[in-house]
Amino acid sequence: MENVLISNLQRFSTKDGPGIRTTVFFKGCPLRCKWCHNPETHLTVSEIMYNRENCTLCGRCVRACPKGAVTIENDTVITDTNKCTICKRCTDECYYNAREVVGKGLTFDEICDVLERDMAFYSESGGGATFSGGECLMFPQMLTKLLKFCKARRIHTAVDTSGFAAWEVFEKILPYTDLFLYDIKAFSPDVHKEVTGVDNALIWENLEKLCSLGANVNLRLPVIEGCNADLSGIEETAKKAASFGIKKVNILPYHDMGKYKYTKLGRDYDSNSMATPSDEKLEEIKTIFKNHAFTDIKIGG
Ligand code: SF4
Ligand code: SF4
């Protein structure tokens, strides 16, 4: 049966759109934003996360691994990702919850079961289902099926996206999407490329087309000192988005709460080059959007 890799299926979320929501985090993303707090969603394969703080160095995982992928070196457990087949024997054998597999293949029915279970919360709170990631538009078939399922049950739908996808995918999901949570990470193409790894021309093109077709769009603007917090770029972003008729924005100040996940995945995280913008700066950004006739401006998710 067809399935899709999900890094997390978060119930009772209040940060990913209106009301109480169930957020489906697809695993896989074409961007590599420097500040990303969900690095476990980057790759389209399952991965082992290792928590050194819980580990007693008992060696059970080393003995359990049939592939010889696990070793203990310098008081830490190392997993050779080239050898690991995600058979989960090591995680089953670890008594201390120091190892976990991130990325679970779920079928359409399995995801729908969870969404259906939470329907009472949606109707009471004005919530619904949010499809996020990673980049959920990397999985157009499953995403479209899930959106159609929600529409048939009158579940409000939100799609949280970087905008970096073929227009054909947006065209396909538009009739079933009540709200787009649309990230703009930098106005300047050069800055965008530098901080995310991809060009932003397609992202702006898709946004313009969506707005011209009447999509309900809430802009999301991550603001990271050292990356994209230049006020002139933010001014240009507000101006261009306003010219498309967008009125809603969430200003998302940088935090490093995802830092520990990089450690657990054995990856580097460059926290020294990034910082949270000051309250004064955030107020200035709010004013920029107000001056461009945005009517719904929030700081935070
Ligand atoms: S089984 Fe768990 S606690 Fe023991 S060495 Fe492996 S990761 Fe550490
Ligand atoms: S998941 Fe399986 S193959 Fe991978 S490290 Fe653990 S025991 Fe070895």
Side-chain angles (χ1 to χ4, degrees):
M1 200 183 291
E2 183 200 0
N3 66 19
V4 70
L5 213 52
I6 299 297
S7 67
N8 189 13
L9 224 167
Q10 194 174 343
R11 303 173 69 196
F12 312 114
S13 165
T14 53
K15 295 214 183 297
D16 305 307
I20 296 174
R21 313 193 69 82
T22 305
T23 305
V24 183
F25 290 90
F26 288 69
K27 188 160 160 45
C29 186
L31 277 67
R32 291 292 178 271
C33 305
K34 284 189 172 177
W35 57 87
C36 180
H37 54 268
N38 288 324
E40 76 282 13
T41 65
H42 289 174
L43 304 182
T44 50
V45 290
S46 299
E47 293 169 87
I48 299 277
M49 285 179 103
Y50 166 63
N51 186 349
R52 177 63 188 90
E53 281 173 23
N54 288 1
C55 177
T56 61
L57 298 174
C58 69
R60 291 180 67 89
C61 53
V62 179
R63 293 188 290 279
C65 180
K67 301 288 176 187
V70 191
T71 49
I72 296 180
E73 291 168 35
N74 300 324
D75 283 350
T76 193
V77 173
I78 310 281
T79 305
D80 183 338
T81 50
N82 293 320
K83 290 183 182 168
C84 173
T85 56
I86 309 289
C87 71
K88 299 186 186 169
R89 289 196 201 167
C90 60
T91 53
D92 292 346
E93 281 297 312
C94 178
Y95 293 167
Y96 304 96
N97 289 327
R99 293 175 76 79
E100 61 178 308
V101 172
V102 61
K104 192 174 178 197
L106 294 182
T107 63
F108 171 74
D109 289 343
E110 284 170 328
I111 299 172
C112 292
D113 280 351
V114 177
L115 299 177
E116 229 162 18
R117 226 184 301 156
D118 290 348
M119 277 178 69
F121 300 106
Y122 309 149
S123 45
E124 273 167 32
S125 68
T130 298
F131 300 97
S132 183
E135 176 51 70
C136 58
L137 273 77
M138 272 180 82
F139 310 91
Q141 273 181 318
M142 181 63 93
L143 178 62
T144 310
K145 267 174 83 175
L146 289 166
L147 288 166
K148 281 185 182 172
F149 167 87
C150 291
K151 276 288 103 186
R153 279 154 189 78
R154 298 174 185 270
I155 298 174
H156 179 273
T157 56
V159 167
D160 181 11
T161 178
S162 67
F164 192 75
W167 170 248
E168 292 69 34
V169 181
F170 279 104
E171 221 171 12
K172 211 167 165 189
I173 64 165
L174 179 57
Y176 315 106
T177 305
D178 295 312
L179 173 66
F180 285 92
L181 303 169
Y182 202 103
D183 289 2
I184 291 292
K185 322 234 189 207
F187 183 79
S188 149
D190 291 341
V191 173
H192 197 276
K193 180 106 208 236
E194 192 194 322
V195 299
T196 71
V198 305
D199 189 81
N200 62 1
L202 178 66
I203 293 168
W204 280 109
E205 270 168 37
N206 285 334
L207 183 58
E208 185 169 16
K209 284 183 193 163
L210 278 178
C211 293
S212 72
L213 293 171
N216 181 15
V217 176
N218 191 136
L219 220 62
R220 287 163 77 88
L221 190 89
V223 184
I224 297 94
E225 291 290 2
C227 283
N228 64 356
D230 163 48
L231 287 181
S232 60
I234 292 171
E235 172 87 45
E236 292 298 329
T237 295
K239 192 171 152 194
K240 191 159 174 172
S243 76
F244 300 162
I246 299 174
K247 300 281 181 204
K248 295 180 279 191
V249 62
N250 285 81
I251 300 160
L252 308 171
Y254 170 72
H255 62 74
D256 69 358
M257 287 187 289
K259 191 175 168 181
Y260 75 98
K261 296 183 189 172
Y262 286 81
T263 311
K264 283 170 101 177
L265 288 163
R267 295 191 209 149
D268 294 331
Y269 181 73
D270 181 18
S271 56
N272 292 334
S273 66
M274 296 180 280
T276 307
S278 64
D279 290 347
E280 292 74 29
K281 178 97 170 246
L282 293 171
E283 284 306 316
E284 278 184 78
I285 295 170
K286 251 178 135 174
T287 306
I288 288 174
F289 280 94
K290 242 183 234 162
N291 292 343
H292 285 284
F294 276 67
T295 51
D296 189 347
I297 307 167
K298 289 193 191 88
I299 294 180

